[in-house]
RNA sequence: GCUGGUGUGGUGUAGUUCGGUCCAUCAUGACGGACUCUCGAUCCGUCGACCCGGGUUCAAAUCCCGGCAUCAGCACCA
């Protein structure tokens, strides 16, 4: 039997040199679970090899996937949260426009590129037919003259484009004279209307990767043709393209895909409340729900770098998270559909308070419930547990306290403190420690379930385990008249 | 249509480079049990896979040929 490989696969061509990785998102929204794969895999390799990582905002498209001004800062935060550190280099493509335009002029002068004034539809015909379009024979001087007309506004959007001169006989149609720069007249959120001619991803990214000395590109396999295009350009410029690794397409059962544009549209239409709506697969939402960065790291490293298209259940991520947080999450009692019971306590000697551990095995301190027994004891349990008891012999175990017998009229009596055999253990609250709360759950939309939560002094943001319910994060501490707000994490 | 990628239990994953150490790893899941004053945790057990068909070979998950399935690219998106 072979030795089982641990962690990520070996990186090709990584010996004896300084490695540079990069993560290059379009800031058209905050990062999604899908993006986190790029952040985590690249930074993980950088960490293992003592390499550097570049965070580059590829924000040169202002029409179909326009950048969002706020998203830059969000992504900075999310990158830091996911990796525990800032990137070694942070760049904005939109601040580097002059470089791309200079490079484009060089390429035109060397006839690596030419200006094409065919319409997109016209060019498509020649591309499919493997024929040269009329512009293809332009000399470098002619292309440079046309280039000036692109820059000065003579050509309107869609009337001219810079193409890389490849080979119309390329067997892969995607590689035949692909477009490198085009005219966009809209406003960029950062640089406004300063530029008319903008590079497309394949041109911009190719130049940047060389400039930044990127040695390894690790990204989704949907960009395989992008690699081939960029390699064509690198060959013409006498550069060596970085090593490139790919992963396949991922779907998470609970979310489907991770389209930032789609989410943006759904938020604008009101279907979701915001980018941190707990039903959304954004990093912000996952953080809000109490997932840890480490659980995401384990999740992606375990999935590795296969080019298979996969569909994984969120349960895999949840299992990692449970394992990580269980030992440090205090226990609390939370009742959904609470019902009150007035218990006769005459059969037992009642203590004046109850001391409960915050964790069954770890030393996380205790909490104390005062018990008011002047006229019996009032307790709250879940309606479902009451119904369960009434369908049987009526006996329940109040966890860590006493066995009781309930009746259908909302009453009951204390039996004894010892636990009887086979009695169902239920979580409960003593009257006086219950606080109004809502639990935000992702299953039925961002619904707010009214609940009763045990009084506590945990801070906002604390991850707790609700006994017999599951993990949740305290999003807002309750206050006079304002209920506690909890966000469901997982079971 | 053209081009490229990928097919291992329910879901992922290791193994494929260089055929034998693989009646195929690990995790998750489901089911059952032990323990526990949570339906959590821990422990134990069970279930379950090499896309199909040929070929080469003493020997194929691994190499070759042919299918099939599936995903992606063929944008003046990133």
């Amino acid at each position: 039997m072979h030795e089982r490989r641990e962690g990520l696969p070996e990186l090709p061509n990584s010996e004896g040199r300084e490695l540079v990785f990069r993560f290059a998102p379009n800031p058209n929204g905050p990062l999604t679970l899908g993006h986190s794969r790029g952040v985590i895999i690249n930074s993980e390799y950088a960490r293992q090899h003592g390499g550097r990582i570049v965070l580059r905002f590829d924000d040169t498209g202002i029409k179909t996937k326009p950048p969002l001004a706020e998203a830059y800062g969000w992504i900075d935060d999310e990158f830091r949260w996911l990796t525990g550190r800032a990137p070694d280099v942070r760049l904005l493509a939109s601040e580097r426009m002059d470089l791309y335009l200079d490079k484009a002029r060089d390429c035109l002068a060397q006839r690596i590129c030419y200006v094409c004034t065919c319409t997109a539809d016209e060019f498509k015909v020649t591309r499919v037919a493997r024929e040269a379009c009329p512009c293809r024979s332009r000399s470098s001087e002619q292309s440079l003259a046309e280039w000036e007309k692109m820059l000065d506004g003579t050509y309107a959007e869609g009337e001219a484009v810079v193409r890389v001169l490849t080979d119309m006989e390329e067997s892969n149609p995607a590689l035949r004279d692909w477009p490198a720069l085009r005219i966009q007249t809209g406003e960029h959120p950062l640089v406004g209307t300063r530029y008319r001619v903008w590079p497309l991803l394949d041109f911009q990214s190719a130049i940047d990767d060389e400039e930044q000395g990127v040695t390894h590109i690790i990204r989704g396999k949907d960009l395989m043709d992008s690699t081939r295009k960029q390699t064509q350009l690198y060959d013409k410029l006498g550069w060596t393209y970085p090593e490139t690794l790919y992963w396949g397409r991922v779907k998470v059962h609970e979310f489907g895909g991770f389209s930032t544009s789609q989410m943006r549209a759904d938020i604008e239409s009101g279907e979701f409340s915001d980018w941190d709506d707990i039903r959304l697969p954004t990093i912000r939402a996952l953080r809000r729900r109490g997932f840890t960065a480490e659980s995401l790291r384990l999740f992606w490293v375990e999935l590795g770098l296969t080019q298979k298209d996969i569909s994984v259940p969120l349960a895999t991520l949840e299992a990692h998270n449970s394992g990580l947080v269980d030992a440090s999450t205090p226990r609390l009692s939370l009742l959904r559909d609470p019902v009150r019971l007035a218990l006769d306590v005459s059969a037992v000697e009642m203590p004046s308070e109850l001391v409960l551990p915050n964790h069954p095995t770890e030393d996380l301190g205790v909490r104390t419930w005062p018990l008011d027994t002047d006229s019996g004891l009032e307790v709250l349990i879940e309606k479902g547990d009451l119904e369960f008891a009434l369908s049987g012999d009526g006996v329940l175990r109040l966890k860590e306290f006493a066995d009781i017998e309930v009746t259908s009229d909302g009453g009951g009596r204390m039996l004894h403190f010892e636990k009887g055999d086979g009695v169902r253990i239920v979580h409960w609250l003593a009257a006086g420690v219950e606080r109004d709360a809502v639990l935000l759950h992702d299953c039925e939309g961002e619904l707010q379930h009214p609940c009763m939560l045990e009084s506590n002094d945990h801070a906002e943001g604390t991850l707790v385990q609700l006994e017999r319910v599951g993990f949740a994060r305290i999003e807002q501490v309750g206050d006079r008249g304002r209920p506690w707000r909890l966000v469901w994490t997982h079971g």
Side-chain angles (χ1 to χ4, degrees):
Chain A
M1 193 172 78
H2 292 265
E3 192 89 351
R4 181 179 160 79
R5 204 197 69 223
E6 285 296 328
L8 296 171
E10 205 61 34
L11 216 47
N13 194 10
S14 62
E15 292 303 310
R17 58 181 189 142
E18 186 159 327
L19 306 188
V20 180
F21 302 83
R22 47 87 148 174
F23 174 66
N26 174 11
N28 62 336
L31 298 183
T32 65
L33 181 54
H35 288 111
S36 73
R37 187 177 201 172
V39 174
I40 286 165
I41 298 295
N42 279 286
S43 70
E44 186 70 8
Y45 272 121
R47 192 182 60 75
Q48 284 174 10
H49 292 84
R52 285 176 295 148
I53 183 157
V54 176
L55 171 61
R56 190 179 72 220
F57 294 91
D58 281 354
D59 57 348
T60 58
I62 57 182
K63 290 290 180 186
T64 58
K65 297 177 181 176
L68 204 61
E70 309 93 294
Y72 296 82
W74 294 342
I75 292 172
D76 286 329
D77 286 347
E78 288 154 0
F79 184 99
R80 181 180 269 282
W81 181 74
L82 284 166
T83 64
R85 68 187 194 99
D88 297 288
V89 180
R90 177 185 187 273
L91 296 169
L92 274 61
S94 55
E95 289 179 348
R96 300 163 58 74
M97 286 294 290
D98 294 330
L99 172 71
Y100 311 132
L101 297 179
D102 285 350
K103 206 74 210 174
R105 187 188 305 275
D106 291 347
C107 288
L108 290 166
Q110 295 176 56
R111 229 171 92 81
I112 289 170
C113 296
Y114 64 95
V115 172
C116 176
T117 49
C118 300
T119 66
D121 286 343
E122 286 165 357
F123 186 81
K124 195 171 183 176
V125 173
T126 59
R127 189 206 291 268
V128 170
R130 303 185 182 224
E131 287 165 3
C133 82
C135 313
R136 199 168 198 270
S137 55
R138 281 199 172 109
S139 67
S140 55
E141 291 74 18
Q142 288 169 323
S143 276
L144 283 168
E146 297 296 314
W147 170 246
E148 291 305 326
K149 290 199 255 175
M150 288 177 72
L151 293 171
D152 70 17
T154 306
Y155 284 122
E157 201 170 78
E159 291 184 348
V161 67
V162 174
R163 292 187 182 283
V164 177
L165 187 69
T166 65
D167 184 347
M168 296 313 283
E169 292 299 325
E170 277 284 356
S171 54
N172 183 348
L175 305 187
R176 296 173 199 153
D177 284 17
W178 47 274
L181 299 98
R182 84 309 211 179
I183 299 167
Q184 293 183 118
T185 52
E187 184 165 343
H188 188 280
L190 265 39
V191 297
T193 53
R194 188 146 73 230
Y195 301 99
R196 278 179 61 78
V197 180
W198 294 80
L200 285 140
L201 172 78
D202 292 311
F203 189 77
Q204 176 262 115
S205 180
I207 289 170
D208 272 326
D209 288 334
E210 169 68 14
E211 270 270 316
Q212 287 127 40
V214 172
T215 59
H216 292 76
I217 298 173
I218 310 167
R219 57 182 172 190
K221 68 174 186 180
D222 50 314
L223 269 348
M224 276 181 155
D225 279 350
S226 211
T227 296
R228 298 185 185 100
K229 289 189 236 178
Q230 291 172 42
T231 301
Q232 289 177 323
L233 188 62
Y234 269 54
D235 288 347
K236 288 170 184 293
L237 291 167
W239 300 342
T240 305
Y241 200 71
E243 295 288 338
T244 317
L245 300 171
Y246 306 95
W247 56 71
R249 195 210 48 186
V250 192
K251 279 185 181 167
V252 171
H253 296 342
E254 288 78 358
F255 295 126
F258 307 117
S259 166
T260 305
S261 311
Q262 185 60 50
M263 279 188 267
R264 189 165 168 175
D266 290 341
I267 291 165
E268 278 163 12
S269 75
E271 189 176 335
F272 297 112
S273 58
D274 204 343
W275 290 105
D276 64 353
D277 188 302
I278 58 174
R279 293 162 290 177
L280 253 21
T282 58
I283 297 304
R284 300 159 73 80
L286 294 171
R287 269 176 96 167
R288 185 180 171 206
R289 290 170 58 179
F291 283 93
T292 57
E294 179 64 5
S295 69
L296 288 164
R297 192 186 72 81
L298 293 173
F299 176 74
W300 288 122
V301 168
E302 180 175 272
L303 292 190
L305 268 184
T306 65
Q307 292 183 28
K308 239 172 114 167
D309 298 321
I310 56 173
S311 182
V312 293
L314 202 57
T316 308
L317 178 62
E318 294 174 350
H320 285 302
N321 204 52
S322 299
L324 291 165
V325 303
D326 181 70
S328 60
T329 46
R331 271 50 176 168
L332 282 181
S333 188
L334 174 120
L335 306 174
R336 300 155 296 185
D337 293 325
V339 291
R340 287 176 188 271
L341 299 174
L343 299 179
D344 177 347
V345 299
S346 56
V348 294
E349 188 73 24
M350 285 295 294
S352 62
E353 62 178 29
L354 177 63
V355 178
L356 299 164
N358 282 332
H359 193 284
T361 56
E362 305 296 315
D363 183 12
L364 296 184
V366 296
R367 68 251 214 218
T368 304
W369 294 0
L371 300 177
D372 176 4
T373 54
D374 289 349
S375 54
L377 177 69
E378 190 182 9
V379 300
L380 296 86
I381 63 173
E382 289 201 342
K383 190 178 172 195
D385 288 326
L386 176 65
E387 285 166 356
F388 173 85
L390 292 174
S391 71
D393 60 5
V395 178
L396 288 174
R397 172 74 181 173
L398 300 181
K399 188 171 181 303
E400 312 266 8
F401 185 51
D403 284 7
I404 61 169
E405 184 174 12
V406 301
T407 53
S408 56
D409 60 359
R413 62 190 180 99
M414 298 275 298
L415 296 176
H416 40 71
F417 296 115
E418 310 76 51
K419 180 181 175 297
D421 285 339
V423 179
R424 173 186 276 211
I425 298 166
V426 302
H427 60 301
W428 61 290
L429 289 171
V433 300
E434 81 277 27
R435 298 287 181 270
D436 286 324
V438 291
L439 180 63
L440 270 59
H441 202 293
D442 61 330
C443 292
E444 304 133 41
E446 217 177 29
L447 278 189
Q448 305 200 347
H449 298 276
C451 306
M452 282 296 176
L453 176 70
E454 172 185 347
S455 169
N456 69 87
D457 53 12
H458 297 306
E460 268 173 20
T462 304
L463 195 60
V464 297
Q465 191 194 102
L466 307 171
E467 285 174 337
R468 295 179 69 226
V469 177
F471 294 93
R473 185 171 158 276
I474 297 176
E475 181 162 85
Q476 191 175 74
V477 168
D479 203 350
R480 277 177 286 277
R482 188 178 66 178
W484 289 72
R485 192 165 73 235
L486 297 160
V487 183
W488 171 254
T489 307
H490 49 69

